[in-house]
Amino acid sequence: MTGMLRAKLITTDRYTLEPLGVHHAAEMTKVLAGTAIYKYIGGQAPTAQELANRYAAQSVGSSPDGRETWLNWIIREQDRSIGFVQATVEADGPTSDIAWVVGEAFQGRGAATEAARAMVTWLRRRQPPVRITASIHPENTASSSVARHLGLTPSGHFDADGEELWDDAPAAD
């Protein structure tokens, strides 16, 4: 059933979360053009063609083996894109690993928290995941704050990139 899950339009008080499409690439190139965004997530600002290729692959909606469903939304504020949120839902869990990125010019106003919260609420209404997770660099205080607002806590476990796994599972005694 996980493979049937598709991103749908989500609205919040201030934002619209539009399902990702290749047509978003040109506008998102400008949103993702800053350098500070990549301090903790790595990489560099993508070109329009790189984004178009990435969005074409992500828009398929699932991994080739069907083990993951890919859900991606562009965060829109009025008539402009300001960032994105995404969820990778495991077919055999399910666990939803979530992420968010807001362009430098739009940070510090709660956009990531509001958009990610709306996405998590939407996910739970469609297919309640056993667990919500996010991987966050230990020095990324802004993303740590978003995660805390979503009810996630650091697990003390780190991936190969040095990011800590945050989740909403209750702490073991």
Side-chain angles (χ1 to χ4, degrees):
M1 177 165 180
T2 300
M4 296 173 57
L5 192 61
R6 295 280 179 239
K8 301 290 184 194
L9 189 72
I10 301 171
T11 57
T12 74
D13 289 341
R14 299 182 298 162
Y15 307 108
T16 300
L17 298 150
E18 284 183 8
L20 176 75
V22 175
H23 66 280
H24 290 112
E27 185 177 9
M28 286 299 294
T29 301
K30 297 172 192 150
V31 174
L32 301 174
T35 56
I37 294 173
Y38 306 97
K39 180 177 182 178
Y40 300 116
I41 64 173
Q44 60 187 16
T47 66
Q49 187 59 55
E50 288 169 337
L51 266 190
N53 293 343
R54 182 181 311 160
Y55 290 176
Q58 291 173 331
S59 296
V60 170
S62 64
S63 60
D65 62 10
R67 292 184 184 189
E68 296 177 337
T69 296
W70 302 328
L71 302 166
N72 298 274
W73 291 266
I74 298 298
I75 306 168
R76 293 191 58 81
E77 179 182 57
Q78 298 169 358
D79 62 346
R80 64 183 176 189
S81 297
I82 66 167
F84 67 85
V85 291
Q86 63 187 39
T88 302
V89 182
E90 294 177 3
D92 62 354
T95 294
S96 290
D97 189 50
I98 63 171
W100 49 86
V101 173
V102 172
E104 290 175 31
F106 311 105
Q107 293 177 359
R109 299 181 297 143
T113 299
E114 188 171 327
R117 182 177 290 129
M119 174 183 62
V120 168
T121 299
W122 184 89
L123 283 166
R124 289 199 165 124
R125 287 184 181 151
R126 264 109 201 120
Q127 179 171 338
V130 172
R131 201 167 143 213
I132 299 289
T133 63
S135 297
I136 301 172
H137 189 283
E139 295 175 14
N140 190 339
T141 57
S143 278
S144 296
S145 177
V146 171
R148 279 191 175 80
H149 280 95
L150 297 175
L152 305 181
T153 55
S155 69
H157 299 284
F158 294 83
D159 66 16
D161 295 326
E163 292 186 329
E164 185 169 16
L165 178 68
W166 287 60
D167 64 31
D168 63 353
D173 290 334

